[in-house]
Amino acid sequence: MKYLSSRGGMSPQGFSEILLEGLAPDGGLAVPEQYPQVSHAQLQAWKNLSYAELAFEVLRNFATDIPEADLKALTSKTYTKAVYGTDEITPLRPLFDGMQVLELSNGPTLAFKDMAMQLLGNLFEYQLARVGQELNILGATSGDTGSAAEYAMRGKKGVRVFMLSPAGKMSAFQRAQMYSLQDPNIFNVAVEGLFDDCQDMVKAVSEDLEFKSRYKIGTVNSINWGRISAQVVYYFKSYLKAAPTIGDPVSFAVPSGNFGNVLAGHIARQMGLPIRRLVVATNENNVLDEFFRTGVYRPRASAETYITSSPSMDISKASNFERFVYDLVGRDPQALKALWDTLKRDGQFDLSGDARFAEVESRYGFVSGSSSHANRLETIREVYERTGTLIDTHTADAVKVARQYVEPGVPMVVLETALAVKFAETIEEATGQIPPVPAAYAGIEKLPQRVVGMKASVAEIKQFIVQNTGL
Ligand SMILES: *Cc1c(COP(=O)(O)O)cnc(C)c1O
């Protein structure tokens, strides 16, 4: 399997070549040359595989340049009960009104990002050893991504993580989760400023190409193809469990921000998995909902991006969306580029009168909706009253939107992207209940913390990297 750029300006590359890269050299995103096809007979044969075995079967189609025995060792090392808490790895639990909840948040940082990031940590270590390289991951986080990256990369050979976070702006739990890590390859930097300041520092360092290459700076953001392909696996796994008979349709509802999670569902569907609907759920930041309802894609300015109680979906533009639009325009890089030129010129593009937009639902299964703070509170309360379980705010957005699209006889699987404990304040507001802290995290806020403070200064972060890499 080779990968191309969505904008046409990259010679075909293998999986392990794009694994450590961000954007393609022409500013596009890496996309597979074609989607591998999975037959009905294969689906039948996969029904009783363990998660790790299934991950191998799915990923061998994408990572064709990794020897199969190595890939198998990597997936079985990653998807274990020790890491995800159950043998099933991603259990399904019943909800009501035709819905089920897919538990994706039982990994070390209690959010679905662990599903892919844990594999990425092992893949990076493997690939870096194979090519005899080191990598210094530089990132900015306001919570979930940074901790998922740190828990995936801690102790991994050849990798260091420099993670910038806004001092005093995350919850005490989030701070403790990251800053209590004592691994020598993990560096937490608390920046005096906001998340945007942290992100600007990362951007400035990455734009210094000489520094970037000398100090082997990389990222693990949501456009990473390794992450996307790892996320495809749980659509297969849950389909095989939820479908009454293999071949029957199943719908999925996905709390969405950067469009990485639901893109993986789209890929599973393109591979032949009988997915009926892909329900894109947003919060008040409804860039994606607007597109799927109207055909207009209009990323927002930061000043127009709301801070909400489902903060991991507070995005102004959906960085993986380009990969879906590439398929929508018939995988034609020129057509894709024309749209992105319009986007650059006008701040939006409009496909409302375009025959291809009419296929968004009929051919690709996409539908959408959005949710407000009041909707979240109501949904969290209702789920608690009817099932006795607490769901997090992002999952609540998806439950709210999913209900509009439930059809008789078609299971609706709602993806649980975080546990309630990560957003305890809103859960308490909704239900009066304080969500239980999992045993592994009891007392975490009292552990010693390893973090350095810093001004929002590009020079200072560069100097810090130089000092700590020994390169
Ligand atoms: C990252 C995240 C999302 C959004 O996922 P995308 O792949 O960016 O669409 C939703 N919920 C939670 C809890 C997250 O951490």
Side-chain angles (χ1 to χ4, degrees), residues 111-113 144 255-261 312-313 392 394 417-418:
F112 92 100
K113 301 220 164 46
D144 291 339
S256 293
N258 272 317
F259 205 73
N261 198 355
S312 301
M313 288 151 60
D392 102 291
H394 306 77
T417 54

Side-chain angles (χ1 to χ4, degrees), residues 255-259 280-291 293 297-318 368-373 376 394 397:
S256 293
N258 272 317
F259 205 73
V280 177
T282 73
N283 61 22
E284 291 88 335
N285 296 294
N286 61 351
V287 187
L288 289 166
D289 178 36
E290 183 173 84
F291 173 77
R293 273 186 301 105
Y297 181 58
R298 185 178 65 87
R300 314 286 199 257
S302 326
E304 248 190 293
T305 306
Y306 305 104
I307 295 171
T308 75
S309 47
S310 44
S312 301
M313 288 151 60
D314 292 348
I315 58 99
S316 49
K317 71 174 186 35
S368 72
S370 66
S371 166
S372 66
H373 182 69
R376 282 191 277 286
H394 306 77
D397 288 331

Side-chain angles (χ1 to χ4, degrees), residues 387-399:
T387 68
T389 55
L390 294 170
I391 55 169
D392 102 291
T393 51
H394 306 77
T395 309
D397 288 331
V399 170

Side-chain angles (χ1 to χ4, degrees), residues 78-86 89 106-108 114-116 118-119:
T78 303
Y79 296 108
T80 64
K81 184 178 177 183
V83 175
Y84 295 97
T86 63
I89 308 298
N106 300 327
D114 290 329
M115 291 306 307
Q118 287 287 317
L119 179 70

